[in-house]
Amino acid sequence: MWFRNARVFRFTKPFDISAEALEEKLTADAFKPCGPQETTRHGWVPPLGKHGELLVHSAGGYHLVTLRKEEKVLPAPVIKEMVEEKAEAIEQEQGRKVRKKEKDEIKEEVTLELLPRAFSRNRRTYAYLSPADGVMVVDAGSAKQAEDVASALRQSLGSLPVRPPVLEQAPAFTFTGWLDESIDLPGSIELGMECELKDPSEDGGVVRCKGMDLKSDEIQNHLAAGMQVTKLSLTWDENVSFVLDEEFGIRRLKFGETLQEKLDDVDSDDAAAKFDAAFSLMTLELARLIPGMLEAMGGEDRSAIVSE
């Protein structure tokens, strides 16, 4: 149970819920497969999969939930071919041209006809709530995927007062300062060998660099030309590596050998115990990483956050 990404949401006012209360709320929206005429459906499933039945896995005050989304997959070329065949048949039988509006109606009919035979694509997205830390963290590669989980939780709970954290200064400003050395790089952070640079002008280009010394002359020349750093690979506290973007999206998380060694000490034959141990180790590490990175990025604007 290691997250590969971390999209962070900040609670904007005090929020607390027990595992039991959260379980009760999510049960009403437990996952059910798509019906014959449905194209998509989502709902909550047990985080432990076949090794558990509860929709909430809690450890140390962290509540893990899993949203499953099912989508029916219909190949566009197949639909197009059937629409053209039906339109051609109408034109031959009735001696008239089938216009676009009618073709759109035929497309809807074809889609409904094919849905019961469509393939299903399923995706599970994990997220945990940490009321004590005031954050929710979603294992999502995109902001939209993370917001989908937040929206589903709002629907199940009635309300969920969260938003992405707001930084005092733009991440691109901080990233660029670290590379051109106009801003001191915190001692807890090491630069990786990957970055993305953008020209801030309206029609500006993008340069993606991998496997490079980020202090090299080539990178510095781009910065001197006015480009800004929008993504940066980092290692935090010599134990967690990741790529951070200008939305404070953490991607390609890799936890260090120290945590892996601790996990290896757990009985490998007990899948549930292994899952619980990995979740506990990960959340404790992210509980240090997230505030540490927010501080390193220039601090968080908490003016709209209501404290007790």
Side-chain angles (χ1 to χ4, degrees):
M1 167 30 56
W2 302 114
F3 278 19
R4 292 175 294 179
N5 310 282
R7 292 275 170 175
V8 180
F9 290 82
R10 169 68 70 189
F11 284 102
T12 57
K13 61 182 180 180
F15 179 87
D16 196 11
I17 189 168
S18 67
E20 294 76 17
L22 184 56
E23 179 78 24
E24 182 179 354
K25 293 284 189 179
L26 299 190
T27 299
D29 294 318
F31 176 78
K32 296 177 182 178
C34 284
Q37 301 301 319
E38 289 182 307
T39 58
T40 183
R41 180 178 276 192
H42 66 257
W44 305 103
V45 295
L48 272 73
K50 64 181 181 180
H51 300 293
E53 297 181 355
L54 295 177
L55 298 178
V56 181
H57 178 81
S58 290
Y62 300 94
H63 306 315
L64 179 69
V65 298
T66 306
L67 185 71
R68 176 178 171 181
K69 183 177 182 180
E70 179 185 5
E71 293 179 294
K72 292 291 188 68
V73 180
L74 291 172
V78 173
I79 294 176
K80 182 178 180 181
E81 182 178 352
M82 289 190 66
V83 170
E84 293 297 333
E85 288 177 356
K86 288 180 178 290
E88 185 178 342
I90 292 173
E91 290 177 346
Q92 291 178 351
E93 292 174 4
Q94 302 181 14
R96 64 179 178 84
K97 182 72 173 178
V98 175
R99 303 296 179 184
K100 182 180 185 302
K101 182 178 180 181
E102 189 175 357
K103 278 192 175 183
D104 290 341
E105 294 174 352
I106 295 173
K107 183 178 180 180
E108 291 181 7
E109 294 173 1
V110 168
T111 300
L112 290 174
E113 180 184 338
L114 292 177
L115 272 175
R117 292 179 281 160
F119 292 105
S120 289
R121 178 171 56 199
N122 287 272
R123 181 176 68 190
R124 287 173 170 80
T125 306
Y126 294 88
Y128 71 81
L129 293 83
S130 176
D133 296 331
V135 298
M136 180 179 78
V137 182
V138 185
D139 183 2
S142 69
K144 182 184 182 304
Q145 184 183 352
E147 184 54 46
D148 286 346
V149 175
S151 296
L153 274 171
R154 287 190 189 97
Q155 179 181 342
S156 297
L157 300 179
S159 67
L160 185 70
V162 296
R163 68 170 192 187
V166 177
L167 296 172
E168 291 281 5
Q169 61 190 28
F173 176 81
T174 305
F175 294 158
T176 304
W178 286 348
L179 292 198
D180 67 15
E181 298 185 345
S182 61
I183 299 176
D184 291 336
L185 185 70
S188 58
I189 297 175
E190 296 178 14
L191 296 176
M193 301 184 72
E194 179 179 344
C195 73
E196 178 181 276
L197 304 104
K198 287 184 179 180
D199 186 331
S201 62
E202 185 176 350
D203 299 320
V206 177
V207 176
R208 295 181 177 89
C209 306
K210 291 187 177 182
M212 294 185 63
D213 177 1
L214 300 187
K215 293 295 185 71
S216 67
D217 290 342
E218 183 176 353
I219 300 290
Q220 297 303 314
N221 288 338
H222 285 305
L223 298 179
M227 300 193 80
Q228 297 180 347
V229 184
T230 53
K231 290 183 183 178
L232 194 58
S233 62
L234 303 166
T235 298
W236 185 79
D237 202 24
E238 300 182 346
N239 200 39
V240 186
S241 62
F242 51 91
V243 174
L244 189 63
D245 65 29
E246 58 184 337
E247 297 178 338
F248 199 72
I250 300 171
R251 303 186 64 181
R252 293 178 13 214
L253 265 169
K254 291 184 179 179
F255 295 91
E257 294 181 0
T258 302
L259 295 183
Q260 296 289 350
E261 290 171 357
K262 290 180 180 179
L263 186 59
D264 290 339
D265 293 336
V266 179
D267 183 5
S268 59
D269 294 330
D270 189 336
K274 196 96 171 179
F275 184 100
D276 186 69
F279 177 60
S280 296
L281 289 169
M282 180 190 72
T283 50
L284 289 174
E285 193 66 21
L286 290 179
R288 298 174 55 240
L289 168 67
I290 291 169
M293 285 306 305
L294 288 171
E295 182 180 357
M297 296 290 291
E300 184 180 4
D301 178 0
R302 301 177 64 92
S303 58
I305 296 176
V306 178
S307 60
E308 291 181 326

